[in-house]
Amino acid sequence: YHYICRFNGKPVAIASLCFENNNGGIYNVGTNPSNRGCGYGTLATVACIKKWMDLGGKTLFLQTETGSKVESWYYSLGFKLNFYGSTYCKEE
């Protein structure tokens, strides 16, 4: 599920929800830099959360960087730290 918030006909924020077997993941959350701080990213993220709840979701995951500005924002939406991960890269 993909959600796009628009203001005056222009896209200002986006968020995506992947869902399977009562598990959900929120991805691709972003807000146009000129529209940050207006609540559009929250609206798009809350739309994902509501859809997850409507589908009977039990666990909802997302990823962000430790210590980032959005980490505290996710806490304010009710998310809790579950685990730290590692990032791997393969280059040709």
Coordinates of all heavy atoms in Angstrom, one line a residue:
Y1 N 0.8 -1.1 0.0 CA 0.0 0.0 0.0 C 0.9 1.2 0.0 O 1.8 1.3 0.8 CB -0.9 0.0 1.2 CG -1.7 -1.2 1.3 CD1 -1.3 -2.4 2.0 CD2 -3.0 -1.3 0.8 CE1 -2.1 -3.5 2.1 CE2 -3.8 -2.4 0.8 CZ -3.3 -3.5 1.5 OH -4.1 -4.7 1.6
H2 N 0.6 2.2 -0.9 CA 1.4 3.4 -1.0 C 0.5 4.6 -0.7 O -0.6 4.7 -1.3 CB 2.0 3.5 -2.4 CG 2.9 2.3 -2.8 ND1 4.1 2.1 -2.2 CD2 2.6 1.3 -3.6 CE1 4.6 1.0 -2.7 NE2 3.7 0.5 -3.5
Y3 N 1.0 5.5 0.1 CA 0.2 6.6 0.4 C 1.0 7.9 0.0 O 2.2 8.0 0.3 CB -0.1 6.7 1.9 CG -1.0 5.5 2.4 CD1 -0.4 4.3 2.8 CD2 -2.4 5.6 2.3 CE1 -1.2 3.3 3.1 CE2 -3.2 4.6 2.6 CZ -2.6 3.4 3.0 OH -3.4 2.3 3.4
I4 N 0.3 8.8 -0.6 CA 0.9 10.0 -1.1 C 0.0 11.2 -0.5 O -1.2 11.2 -0.8 CB 1.0 10.1 -2.6 CG1 1.9 9.0 -3.1 CG2 1.6 11.5 -3.0 CD1 1.9 8.9 -4.7
C5 N 0.6 12.0 0.3 CA -0.1 13.2 0.8 C 0.1 14.4 -0.2 O 1.2 14.6 -0.7 CB 0.4 13.6 2.1 SG 0.0 12.5 3.4
R6 N -1.0 15.1 -0.5 CA -0.9 16.2 -1.5 C -1.3 17.5 -0.8 O -2.3 17.4 0.0 CB -1.7 15.9 -2.7 CG -1.2 14.7 -3.5 CD -2.2 14.5 -4.7 NE -1.7 13.4 -5.5 CZ -0.8 13.5 -6.5 NH1 -0.3 14.7 -6.8 NH2 -0.4 12.4 -7.1
F7 N -0.7 18.6 -1.2 CA -1.2 19.9 -0.8 C -1.2 20.8 -2.0 O -0.3 20.9 -2.7 CB -0.2 20.4 0.3 CG -0.6 21.8 0.8 CD1 -1.6 21.9 1.6 CD2 0.1 22.9 0.4 CE1 -2.0 23.2 2.1 CE2 -0.2 24.2 0.8 CZ -1.3 24.3 1.7
N8 N -2.4 21.4 -2.2 CA -2.6 22.2 -3.4 C -2.3 21.4 -4.7 O -1.7 21.9 -5.6 CB -1.8 23.5 -3.4 CG -2.4 24.4 -2.3 OD1 -3.6 24.4 -2.0 ND2 -1.5 25.3 -1.8
G9 N -2.6 20.1 -4.7 CA -2.4 19.3 -5.9 C -1.0 18.7 -6.1 O -0.8 18.0 -7.0
K10 N -0.1 19.1 -5.2 CA 1.3 18.7 -5.4 C 1.6 17.7 -4.3 O 1.3 17.8 -3.1 CB 2.3 19.9 -5.2 CG 2.1 20.9 -6.4 CD 3.1 22.0 -6.2 CE 2.9 23.0 -7.4 NZ 3.8 24.1 -7.3
P11 N 2.4 16.6 -4.6 CA 2.8 15.6 -3.6 C 3.7 16.3 -2.6 O 4.7 17.0 -3.0 CB 3.4 14.5 -4.4 CG 3.8 15.1 -5.7 CD 2.9 16.3 -6.0
V12 N 3.5 16.0 -1.3 CA 4.3 16.6 -0.3 C 4.9 15.5 0.6 O 5.9 15.8 1.3 CB 3.6 17.7 0.5 CG1 3.3 18.9 -0.3 CG2 2.3 17.1 1.2
A13 N 4.4 14.3 0.7 CA 4.9 13.3 1.5 C 4.4 11.9 1.0 O 3.4 11.8 0.3 CB 4.4 13.4 3.0
I14 N 5.2 10.9 1.3 CA 4.9 9.5 0.9 C 5.3 8.5 2.0 O 6.2 8.8 2.8 CB 5.6 9.2 -0.4 CG1 5.2 7.8 -1.0 CG2 7.1 9.2 -0.2 CD1 5.7 7.6 -2.4
A15 N 4.6 7.4 2.0 CA 4.9 6.3 2.9 C 4.3 5.0 2.3 O 3.3 5.1 1.6 CB 4.4 6.5 4.3
S16 N 5.0 3.9 2.5 CA 4.5 2.6 2.0 C 4.4 1.6 3.1 O 5.2 1.6 4.0 CB 5.5 2.1 0.9 OG 5.6 3.0 -0.2
L17 N 3.4 0.7 3.0 CA 3.2 -0.4 3.9 C 3.2 -1.7 3.1 O 2.5 -1.9 2.2 CB 1.8 -0.3 4.6 CG 1.4 -1.5 5.4 CD1 2.2 -1.6 6.7 CD2 -0.1 -1.4 5.8
C18 N 4.1 -2.6 3.6 CA 4.1 -4.0 3.1 C 3.4 -4.8 4.2 O 3.7 -4.6 5.4 CB 5.5 -4.5 2.9 SG 6.4 -3.6 1.6
F19 N 2.6 -5.8 3.8 CA 1.8 -6.5 4.8 C 1.7 -8.0 4.4 O 1.3 -8.2 3.2 CB 0.4 -5.9 5.0 CG -0.3 -6.6 6.1 CD1 -0.2 -6.1 7.4 CD2 -1.2 -7.6 5.9 CE1 -0.9 -6.7 8.5 CE2 -1.9 -8.2 6.9 CZ -1.8 -7.7 8.2
E20 N 1.9 -8.9 5.3 CA 1.7 -10.3 5.0 C 1.7 -11.1 6.4 O 2.5 -10.8 7.2 CB 2.8 -10.9 4.1 CG 2.6 -12.4 3.8 CD 3.6 -12.9 2.8 OE1 4.5 -12.2 2.4 OE2 3.5 -14.1 2.5
N21 N 0.7 -12.0 6.5 CA 0.6 -12.8 7.7 C 0.7 -12.1 9.0 O 1.4 -12.4 9.9 CB 1.7 -13.9 7.7 CG 1.6 -14.9 6.5 OD1 0.5 -15.2 6.1 ND2 2.7 -15.3 6.0
N22 N -0.1 -11.0 9.1 CA -0.2 -10.2 10.3 C 1.0 -9.3 10.6 O 1.1 -8.7 11.6 CB -0.6 -11.0 11.5 CG -2.0 -11.6 11.4 OD1 -2.9 -11.0 10.8 ND2 -2.1 -12.8 11.9
N23 N 2.0 -9.4 9.7 CA 3.2 -8.6 9.9 C 3.3 -7.5 8.9 O 3.0 -7.7 7.7 CB 4.5 -9.5 9.7 CG 4.5 -10.5 10.8 OD1 4.5 -10.3 12.0 ND2 4.7 -11.8 10.4
G24 N 3.7 -6.3 9.3 CA 3.8 -5.2 8.4 C 5.1 -4.5 8.5 O 5.8 -4.6 9.5
G25 N 5.4 -3.8 7.5 CA 6.7 -3.0 7.4 C 6.4 -1.7 6.8 O 5.7 -1.6 5.8
I26 N 6.8 -0.6 7.4 CA 6.7 0.7 6.8 C 8.0 1.1 6.2 O 9.1 1.0 6.8 CB 6.3 1.8 7.9 CG1 4.9 1.5 8.5 CG2 6.3 3.2 7.3 CD1 4.4 2.4 9.5
Y27 N 7.9 1.5 4.9 CA 9.1 1.9 4.1 C 8.9 3.2 3.4 O 7.7 3.6 3.2 CB 9.4 0.8 3.1 CG 9.7 -0.6 3.7 CD1 8.6 -1.5 4.0 CD2 11.0 -0.9 4.1 CE1 8.9 -2.7 4.5 CE2 11.2 -2.1 4.7 CZ 10.2 -3.0 4.9 OH 10.4 -4.2 5.5
N28 N 9.9 3.7 2.9 CA 9.9 4.8 1.9 C 9.2 6.1 2.5 O 8.5 6.8 1.7 CB 9.2 4.4 0.6 CG 9.8 3.2 0.0 OD1 11.0 3.0 0.0 ND2 8.9 2.3 -0.5
V29 N 9.3 6.3 3.8 CA 8.7 7.5 4.3 C 9.6 8.7 3.9 O 10.8 8.7 4.1 CB 8.6 7.4 5.9 CG1 8.0 8.7 6.4 CG2 7.8 6.2 6.3
G30 N 8.9 9.7 3.4 CA 9.7 10.9 3.0 C 8.7 12.1 2.8 O 7.6 12.0 2.6
T31 N 9.3 13.3 3.1 CA 8.6 14.5 2.9 C 9.4 15.5 2.1 O 10.6 15.5 2.2 CB 8.3 15.2 4.3 OG1 7.6 14.2 5.1 CG2 7.5 16.4 4.2
N32 N 8.8 16.2 1.2 CA 9.4 17.2 0.4 C 10.1 18.2 1.4 O 9.5 18.7 2.3 CB 8.4 17.9 -0.5 CG 9.0 18.9 -1.4 OD1 9.9 19.7 -1.0 ND2 8.5 19.0 -2.6
P33 N 11.4 18.5 1.2 CA 12.1 19.4 2.1 C 11.4 20.7 2.4 O 11.4 21.2 3.5 CB 13.4 19.6 1.4 CG 13.6 18.4 0.6 CD 12.3 18.0 0.1
S34 N 10.7 21.3 1.4 CA 10.0 22.5 1.6 C 8.7 22.4 2.4 O 8.1 23.4 2.8 CB 9.8 23.2 0.3 OG 8.9 22.5 -0.5
N35 N 8.3 21.2 2.7 CA 7.1 20.9 3.4 C 7.3 20.2 4.7 O 6.4 19.8 5.4 CB 6.1 20.1 2.6 CG 5.7 20.8 1.3 OD1 6.1 20.5 0.2 ND2 4.9 21.8 1.5
R36 N 8.6 20.1 5.2 CA 8.9 19.4 6.4 C 8.4 20.3 7.6 O 8.4 21.5 7.5 CB 10.3 19.1 6.5 CG 10.8 18.1 5.6 CD 12.2 17.6 5.8 NE 12.5 16.6 4.8 CZ 13.6 16.4 4.2 NH1 14.6 17.2 4.5 NH2 13.8 15.5 3.3
G37 N 7.9 19.6 8.6 CA 7.5 20.3 9.8 C 6.0 20.7 9.8 O 5.5 21.3 10.7
C38 N 5.3 20.3 8.7 CA 3.9 20.6 8.5 C 3.0 19.4 8.9 O 1.8 19.5 8.9 CB 3.6 21.0 7.1 SG 4.5 22.5 6.6
G39 N 3.6 18.3 9.2 CA 2.8 17.1 9.6 C 2.4 16.1 8.5 O 1.7 15.2 8.7
Y40 N 2.9 16.4 7.3 CA 2.5 15.5 6.2 C 3.1 14.1 6.3 O 2.5 13.2 5.9 CB 2.9 16.2 4.8 CG 2.2 17.5 4.6 CD1 2.9 18.7 4.4 CD2 0.8 17.6 4.6 CE1 2.3 19.9 4.2 CE2 0.2 18.8 4.4 CZ 0.9 19.9 4.2 OH 0.3 21.1 4.0
G41 N 4.4 14.1 6.7 CA 5.0 12.8 6.9 C 4.3 12.0 8.0 O 4.1 10.7 7.8
T42 N 3.8 12.6 9.0 CA 3.0 12.0 10.1 C 1.7 11.4 9.5 O 1.3 10.3 9.7 CB 2.7 12.9 11.2 OG1 4.0 13.3 11.8 CG2 1.9 12.2 12.3
L43 N 1.1 12.2 8.6 CA -0.2 11.8 8.0 C 0.0 10.5 7.2 O -0.8 9.6 7.2 CB -0.8 12.9 7.2 CG -1.4 14.1 7.9 CD1 -1.8 15.1 6.9 CD2 -2.6 13.6 8.7
A44 N 1.1 10.5 6.4 CA 1.4 9.4 5.5 C 1.7 8.1 6.4 O 1.2 7.0 6.1 CB 2.5 9.7 4.6
T45 N 2.5 8.3 7.4 CA 2.9 7.2 8.3 C 1.7 6.7 9.1 O 1.5 5.5 9.2 CB 4.0 7.6 9.3 OG1 5.1 8.1 8.5 CG2 4.4 6.5 10.1
V46 N 0.8 7.6 9.6 CA -0.4 7.2 10.3 C -1.3 6.4 9.4 O -2.0 5.5 9.8 CB -1.0 8.4 11.0 CG1 -2.4 8.0 11.5 CG2 -0.1 8.8 12.2
A47 N -1.4 6.8 8.1 CA -2.2 6.1 7.2 C -1.8 4.6 7.1 O -2.6 3.7 7.0 CB -2.2 6.7 5.8
C48 N -0.4 4.4 7.0 CA 0.1 3.0 7.0 C -0.3 2.3 8.3 O -0.7 1.1 8.3 CB 1.6 3.1 6.9 SG 2.2 3.6 5.3
I49 N -0.1 3.0 9.4 CA -0.5 2.3 10.7 C -1.9 1.9 10.8 O -2.3 0.8 11.2 CB -0.1 3.2 11.9 CG1 1.4 3.5 12.0 CG2 -0.6 2.7 13.2 CD1 1.9 4.6 12.9
K50 N -2.8 2.8 10.3 CA -4.2 2.5 10.3 C -4.6 1.4 9.4 O -5.4 0.5 9.8 CB -5.0 3.8 10.0 CG -5.1 4.8 11.1 CD -5.9 6.0 10.7 CE -6.0 7.0 11.8 NZ -6.8 8.2 11.5
K51 N -4.0 1.3 8.2 CA -4.2 0.2 7.3 C -3.7 -1.1 7.9 O -4.4 -2.1 7.9 CB -3.5 0.5 6.0 CG -3.8 -0.6 4.9 CD -5.3 -0.6 4.6 CE -5.6 -1.5 3.4 NZ -7.0 -1.5 3.1
W52 N -2.6 -1.1 8.6 CA -2.0 -2.3 9.2 C -3.0 -2.7 10.3 O -3.3 -3.9 10.4 CB -0.7 -1.9 9.8 CG -0.1 -2.9 10.8 CD1 0.5 -4.1 10.5 CD2 -0.1 -2.7 12.2 NE1 0.9 -4.7 11.7 CE2 0.6 -3.9 12.8 CE3 -0.5 -1.7 13.1 CZ2 0.8 -4.0 14.1 CZ3 -0.3 -1.9 14.5 CH2 0.4 -3.0 14.9
M53 N -3.6 -1.8 11.1 CA -4.6 -2.2 12.1 C -5.8 -2.7 11.5 O -6.4 -3.8 11.9 CB -4.9 -1.0 13.0 CG -3.7 -0.5 13.8 SD -4.0 1.1 14.7 CE -5.3 0.6 15.8
D54 N -6.3 -2.1 10.4 CA -7.5 -2.6 9.7 C -7.3 -4.0 9.2 O -8.3 -4.8 9.1 CB -7.9 -1.6 8.6 CG -8.4 -0.3 9.0 OD1 -8.7 -0.2 10.2 OD2 -8.5 0.6 8.2
L55 N -6.1 -4.3 8.8 CA -5.8 -5.7 8.2 C -5.6 -6.7 9.3 O -5.4 -7.9 9.0 CB -4.6 -5.6 7.3 CG -4.8 -4.8 6.0 CD1 -3.4 -4.6 5.4 CD2 -5.7 -5.5 5.1
G56 N -5.7 -6.3 10.6 CA -5.5 -7.2 11.7 C -4.0 -7.5 12.1 O -3.7 -8.5 12.6
G57 N -3.2 -6.5 11.8 CA -1.8 -6.6 12.0 C -1.4 -6.9 13.5 O -2.1 -6.3 14.4
K58 N -0.4 -7.6 13.7 CA 0.1 -8.0 15.0 C 1.5 -7.3 15.3 O 1.8 -6.9 16.4 CB 0.2 -9.5 15.2 CG -1.1 -10.2 15.1 CD -2.1 -9.8 16.1 CE -3.4 -10.6 15.9 NZ -4.6 -10.0 16.6
T59 N 2.3 -7.3 14.3 CA 3.7 -6.7 14.5 C 3.9 -5.8 13.3 O 3.7 -6.1 12.1 CB 4.7 -7.8 14.5 OG1 4.4 -8.8 15.5 CG2 6.1 -7.3 14.7
L60 N 4.5 -4.6 13.6 CA 4.8 -3.6 12.6 C 6.2 -3.1 12.8 O 6.6 -2.7 13.9 CB 3.8 -2.4 12.7 CG 3.9 -1.3 11.7 CD1 3.7 -1.8 10.3 CD2 3.0 -0.2 12.0
F61 N 7.0 -3.3 11.7 CA 8.4 -2.9 11.8 C 8.7 -1.7 10.9 O 7.9 -1.4 10.0 CB 9.3 -4.1 11.2 CG 9.3 -5.3 12.0 CD1 8.4 -6.4 11.7 CD2 10.2 -5.4 13.1 CE1 8.4 -7.5 12.5 CE2 10.2 -6.6 13.8 CZ 9.3 -7.6 13.5
L62 N 9.8 -1.0 11.2 CA 10.3 0.0 10.3 C 11.8 0.1 10.6 O 12.3 -0.5 11.6 CB 9.6 1.3 10.5 CG 9.6 2.0 11.9 CD1 10.9 2.7 12.2 CD2 8.4 3.0 12.0
Q63 N 12.5 0.8 9.8 CA 14.0 0.9 10.0 C 14.3 2.4 9.9 O 13.8 3.2 9.2 CB 14.7 0.3 8.8 CG 14.5 -1.2 8.7 CD 15.0 -1.7 7.4 OE1 14.8 -1.1 6.3 NE2 15.7 -2.9 7.4
T64 N 15.3 2.8 10.8 CA 15.8 4.1 10.8 C 17.2 4.1 11.4 O 17.6 3.1 11.9 CB 14.9 5.2 11.5 OG1 15.4 6.5 11.2 CG2 14.9 4.9 13.0
E65 N 17.9 5.2 11.2 CA 19.3 5.2 11.8 C 19.2 5.6 13.2 O 18.5 6.5 13.7 CB 20.1 6.3 11.0 CG 20.3 6.0 9.6 CD 19.1 6.5 8.7 OE1 18.3 7.4 9.2 OE2 18.9 6.0 7.6
T66 N 20.1 4.9 14.0 CA 20.2 5.2 15.5 C 20.7 6.6 15.7 O 21.7 7.0 15.0 CB 21.1 4.2 16.1 OG1 20.6 2.9 15.9 CG2 21.2 4.4 17.6
G67 N 20.0 7.3 16.5 CA 20.5 8.7 16.8 C 20.0 9.7 15.8 O 20.3 10.9 15.9
S68 N 19.2 9.3 14.8 CA 18.7 10.3 13.8 C 17.6 11.1 14.4 O 17.0 10.8 15.4 CB 18.2 9.5 12.6 OG 17.1 8.8 12.9
K69 N 17.2 12.2 13.7 CA 16.1 13.1 14.1 C 14.8 12.3 14.1 O 14.0 12.5 14.9 CB 16.0 14.3 13.2 CG 17.2 15.3 13.4 CD 17.0 16.5 12.5 CE 18.1 17.5 12.7 NZ 17.9 18.6 11.8
V70 N 14.6 11.4 13.1 CA 13.4 10.7 13.0 C 13.2 9.6 14.0 O 12.1 9.2 14.3 CB 13.1 10.2 11.6 CG1 13.0 11.3 10.6 CG2 14.2 9.2 11.2
E71 N 14.3 9.2 14.7 CA 14.2 8.1 15.7 C 13.2 8.6 16.8 O 12.3 7.8 17.2 CB 15.5 7.8 16.2 CG 15.5 6.6 17.1 CD 16.9 6.2 17.6 OE1 17.8 7.1 17.8 OE2 17.1 5.0 17.8
S72 N 13.4 9.8 17.3 CA 12.5 10.2 18.4 C 11.1 10.5 17.8 O 10.1 10.3 18.6 CB 13.0 11.5 19.0 OG 13.1 12.6 18.1
W73 N 11.0 10.8 16.6 CA 9.6 11.0 16.0 C 8.9 9.6 15.9 O 7.7 9.6 16.3 CB 9.8 11.5 14.5 CG 8.5 11.7 13.8 CD1 7.5 12.5 14.0 CD2 8.2 11.0 12.6 NE1 6.5 12.4 13.1 CE2 6.9 11.4 12.2 CE3 8.8 10.0 11.8 CZ2 6.3 11.0 11.1 CZ3 8.2 9.5 10.7 CH2 6.9 10.0 10.3
Y74 N 9.6 8.5 15.6 CA 9.0 7.2 15.6 C 8.6 6.8 17.0 O 7.5 6.2 17.2 CB 9.9 6.2 15.0 CG 9.9 6.3 13.5 CD1 11.1 6.4 12.8 CD2 8.7 6.2 12.7 CE1 11.1 6.5 11.4 CE2 8.7 6.3 11.3 CZ 9.9 6.5 10.7 OH 9.9 6.6 9.3
Y75 N 9.4 7.1 18.0 CA 9.0 6.9 19.4 C 7.7 7.6 19.7 O 6.9 7.0 20.4 CB 10.1 7.3 20.4 CG 11.4 6.4 20.4 CD1 12.6 7.0 20.4 CD2 11.2 5.1 20.6 CE1 13.8 6.2 20.4 CE2 12.4 4.3 20.6 CZ 13.6 4.8 20.6 OH 14.7 4.0 20.6
S76 N 7.6 8.8 19.3 CA 6.4 9.6 19.6 C 5.1 9.0 18.9 O 4.0 9.2 19.4 CB 6.5 11.0 19.1 OG 6.4 11.2 17.7
L77 N 5.3 8.1 17.9 CA 4.2 7.4 17.2 C 3.9 6.1 17.9 O 3.1 5.3 17.4 CB 4.5 7.3 15.7 CG 4.5 8.6 14.9 CD1 5.0 8.3 13.5 CD2 3.1 9.2 14.9
G78 N 4.7 5.7 18.9 CA 4.5 4.5 19.7 C 5.4 3.3 19.3 O 5.2 2.3 19.9
F79 N 6.4 3.6 18.5 CA 7.3 2.5 18.2 C 8.4 2.4 19.3 O 8.7 3.4 19.9 CB 8.0 2.8 16.8 CG 7.1 2.6 15.6 CD1 6.3 3.7 15.2 CD2 7.0 1.4 15.0 CE1 5.5 3.5 14.1 CE2 6.2 1.2 13.9 CZ 5.4 2.2 13.5
K80 N 8.9 1.2 19.5 CA 9.9 0.9 20.4 C 11.1 0.3 19.7 O 10.9 -0.5 18.8 CB 9.4 0.0 21.5 CG 8.3 0.7 22.3 CD 7.8 -0.3 23.4 CE 6.6 0.3 24.0 NZ 5.9 -0.7 24.9
L81 N 12.3 0.5 20.2 CA 13.5 -0.1 19.7 C 13.4 -1.6 19.9 O 13.2 -2.1 21.0 CB 14.8 0.4 20.3 CG 16.1 -0.2 19.9 CD1 16.3 0.0 18.4 CD2 17.2 0.3 20.7
N82 N 13.6 -2.4 18.9 CA 13.5 -3.8 19.0 C 14.9 -4.5 18.9 O 15.3 -5.3 19.6 CB 12.6 -4.4 17.9 CG 12.3 -5.9 18.0 OD1 12.5 -6.4 19.1 ND2 11.9 -6.5 17.0
F83 N 15.7 -4.0 17.9 CA 17.1 -4.5 17.7 C 17.9 -3.6 16.8 O 17.3 -2.8 16.1 CB 17.1 -6.0 17.2 CG 16.5 -6.1 15.8 CD1 17.2 -5.9 14.7 CD2 15.1 -6.4 15.7 CE1 16.6 -6.0 13.4 CE2 14.5 -6.6 14.4 CZ 15.3 -6.4 13.3
Y84 N 19.2 -3.7 16.9 CA 20.1 -3.0 16.1 C 20.5 -3.9 14.9 O 20.6 -5.1 15.2 CB 21.3 -2.5 16.8 CG 21.1 -1.5 17.8 CD1 21.0 -1.7 19.2 CD2 20.9 -0.2 17.4 CE1 20.8 -0.7 20.1 CE2 20.7 0.9 18.3 CZ 20.7 0.6 19.7 OH 20.4 1.5 20.6
G85 N 20.7 -3.4 13.8 CA 21.1 -4.3 12.6 C 22.4 -3.9 12.1 O 23.0 -2.9 12.5
S86 N 22.9 -4.6 11.1 CA 24.1 -4.3 10.4 C 23.8 -4.1 9.0 O 22.8 -4.6 8.4 CB 25.1 -5.5 10.5 OG 25.4 -5.8 11.9
T87 N 24.6 -3.3 8.3 CA 24.5 -3.1 6.9 C 25.6 -3.6 6.1 O 26.8 -3.5 6.6 CB 24.4 -1.5 6.6 OG1 23.3 -1.0 7.4 CG2 24.2 -1.2 5.2
Y88 N 25.3 -4.3 5.1 CA 26.4 -4.9 4.2 C 26.3 -4.3 2.8 O 25.2 -3.9 2.4 CB 26.2 -6.4 4.1 CG 26.3 -7.1 5.5 CD1 25.2 -7.2 6.3 CD2 27.5 -7.6 6.0 CE1 25.3 -7.8 7.6 CE2 27.6 -8.1 7.2 CZ 26.5 -8.3 8.0 OH 26.6 -8.9 9.2
C89 N 27.4 -4.3 2.2 CA 27.4 -3.7 0.8 C 28.3 -4.6 -0.1 O 29.3 -5.1 0.3 CB 28.1 -2.3 0.9 SG 28.2 -1.5 -0.7
K90 N 27.8 -4.8 -1.3 CA 28.6 -5.6 -2.3 C 28.8 -4.6 -3.5 O 27.8 -4.1 -4.0 CB 27.8 -6.8 -2.7 CG 28.6 -7.6 -3.7 CD 27.9 -8.9 -4.1 CE 28.7 -9.6 -5.2 NZ 28.0 -10.8 -5.6
E91 N 30.0 -4.5 -3.9 CA 30.3 -3.6 -5.0 C 31.0 -4.5 -6.1 O 31.7 -5.5 -5.8 CB 31.2 -2.5 -4.6 CG 30.6 -1.6 -3.6 CD 31.5 -0.5 -3.2 OE1 32.6 -0.3 -3.7 OE2 31.1 0.3 -2.3
E92 N 30.8 -4.1 -7.3 CA 31.4 -4.8 -8.4 C 32.8 -4.2 -8.7 O 33.1 -3.2 -8.4 CB 30.6 -4.6 -9.7 CG 29.2 -5.3 -9.5 CD 28.4 -5.3 -10.8 OE1 29.0 -5.8 -11.8 OE2 27.3 -4.8 -10.8

